[in-house]
Amino acid sequence: MKTSGKFFTIALVAAWYSSNIGVLLLNKYLLSNYGFKYPIFLTMCHMTTCSLFSYIAIALMKIVPMQTIRFRVQFMKISALSLVFCGSVVSGNISLRYLPVSFNQAIGATTPFFTAVFAYLMTLRRESWLTYATLLPVVAGVIIAAGYGEPSFHLFGFIMCIGATAARALKSVLQGILLSSEGEKLNSMNLLLYMAPIAVVLLLPVTLMMEENVVGITLAHARDDITIIWLLLFNSALAYFVNLTNFLVTSALTLQVLGNAKGAVAVVVSILIFRNPVSVTGMLGYTFTVFGVILYSEVKKHSK
């Protein structure tokens, strides 16, 4: 039993890393290297797949009990979360068109900073001075990397990545506020079941307006090279498994520890694959940021 439990944990960690880093690298490949310049449509593909797979996992496979939306107000709250979630994913995908994965991950590591800011602005919840102090190297690292050490710096991509990171932090704070009562709380798999279809509805008109005839262009491309269809299907499936493994890992071990290491692993792998130039100053800045995130996690853990 102990051996099988250990094997399951190892397999789960491997699946978590593979799906999280895999979807990030494949997004970068599609949007930048492959030339598929439709980040909003790509996000809609992700959300459509998440809708379908979530229904199969919960309604048919019974992985977790289905939780129902009981009130209209609860539905409106979930819709608001879905809107912020869409903004985060779309902005993140847009940023990957312009920034290397290494720099993207360095900016993404500043999520605790934005979480602390939004928590204070929206709930007036103050952290200890030591907690705030650990955020200084988090921000300083990105400033060093962006201002002095990133050879592939792109202002628009940088703004989009900052926006994605801020939106991700805002969603986590909003989720704690909007779905705080016992009658409204949903586990992450059920929350995705309801958020994903709402996201598709929100993204569809935006896709039609901003990425005109993207379906026709994709199908025309597929007639010459069917690979694009397989890439989109595999990428969308990976996007769902990111959420599935997040849920499974959260109940099995500390997700935070894995998250701290994931960024560093993604940076190394992306540099090896895409060969994007990096500078010593840039890596120093990223190291500063990761160090700050680890300190922040430790201080938060001990404060509880």
Side-chain angles (χ1 to χ4, degrees):
M1 290 292 288
K2 286 184 178 181
T3 304
S4 61
K6 185 181 290 186
F7 177 77
F8 175 76
T9 300
I10 293 171
L12 194 54
V13 171
W16 187 89
Y17 270 107
S18 300
S19 58
N20 274 268
I21 297 176
V23 76
L24 178 68
L25 297 178
L26 194 49
N27 282 350
K28 174 63 179 177
Y29 175 74
L30 278 167
L31 295 168
S32 184
N33 296 64
Y34 192 79
F36 186 79
K37 301 177 180 179
Y38 306 103
I40 304 175
F41 178 70
L42 181 63
T43 306
M44 195 175 76
C45 290
H46 290 177
M47 293 300 102
T48 303
T49 305
C50 285
S51 302
L52 176 63
F53 282 15
S54 292
Y55 181 80
I56 292 172
I58 297 174
L60 302 181
M61 297 178 66
K62 312 288 185 184
I63 292 178
V64 294
M66 179 175 282
Q67 297 171 290
T68 57
I69 297 178
R70 301 179 182 180
F71 318 105
R72 184 180 177 183
V73 173
Q74 186 184 13
F75 174 77
M76 296 304 294
K77 291 176 179 179
I78 293 172
S79 298
L81 286 174
S82 186
L83 179 61
V84 176
F85 180 58
C86 282
S88 172
V89 179
V90 170
S91 298
N93 284 339
I94 291 174
S95 74
L96 284 171
R97 280 192 60 192
Y98 304 98
L99 299 178
V101 173
S102 53
F103 190 42
N104 179 282
Q105 287 297 283
I107 298 170
T110 62
T111 302
F113 169 77
F114 289 102
T115 303
V117 170
F118 285 127
Y120 177 73
L121 292 176
M122 301 177 74
T123 67
L124 297 180
R125 189 183 72 203
R126 294 188 178 184
E127 304 286 353
S128 67
W129 68 267
L130 187 58
T131 301
Y132 289 123
T134 61
L135 294 173
L136 294 177
V138 172
V139 178
V142 171
I143 292 173
I144 292 170
Y148 305 99
E150 179 48 55
S152 306
F153 180 81
H154 190 285
L155 181 59
F156 180 68
F158 177 73
I159 293 171
M160 285 293 100
C161 198
I162 288 288
T165 306
R168 191 159 53 244
L170 178 60
K171 176 188 168 289
S172 66
V173 174
L174 278 176
Q175 188 172 329
I177 297 171
L178 297 180
L179 302 178
S180 57
S181 68
E182 287 301 321
E184 293 182 331
K185 283 183 179 178
L186 300 173
N187 64 49
S188 59
M189 287 189 70
N190 273 276
L191 185 58
L192 183 66
L193 173 67
Y194 295 114
M195 281 177 55
I198 295 171
V200 173
V201 173
L202 293 171
L203 289 168
L204 182 59
V206 180
T207 303
L208 294 175
M209 286 188 293
M210 298 186 67
E211 298 177 345
E212 190 176 352
N213 197 31
V214 60
V215 175
I217 293 170
T218 304
L219 291 176
H221 187 94
R223 280 193 285 271
D224 298 324
D225 182 11
I226 194 64
T227 306
I228 182 63
I229 300 297
W230 293 113
L231 285 173
L232 287 173
L233 288 173
F234 181 60
N235 182 246
S236 299
L238 268 183
Y240 173 73
F241 282 105
V242 167
N243 292 281
L244 177 62
T245 54
N246 279 349
F247 174 80
L248 295 174
V249 169
T250 301
S251 61
L253 43 92
T254 306
L255 186 63
Q256 206 168 41
V257 175
L258 292 176
N260 290 337
K262 185 207 78 174
V265 174
V267 167
V268 173
V269 173
S270 69
I271 291 171
L272 292 174
I273 293 175
F274 298 112
R275 306 287 182 180
N276 57 281
V278 291
S279 67
V280 175
T281 308
M283 290 309 296
L284 179 64
Y286 182 69
T287 303
F288 255 82
T289 298
V290 173
F291 178 68
V293 171
I294 293 172
L295 281 179
Y296 175 82
S297 301
E298 287 300 311
V299 171
K300 286 285 287 183
K301 185 169 65 176
H302 285 95
S303 66
K304 293 178 181 179

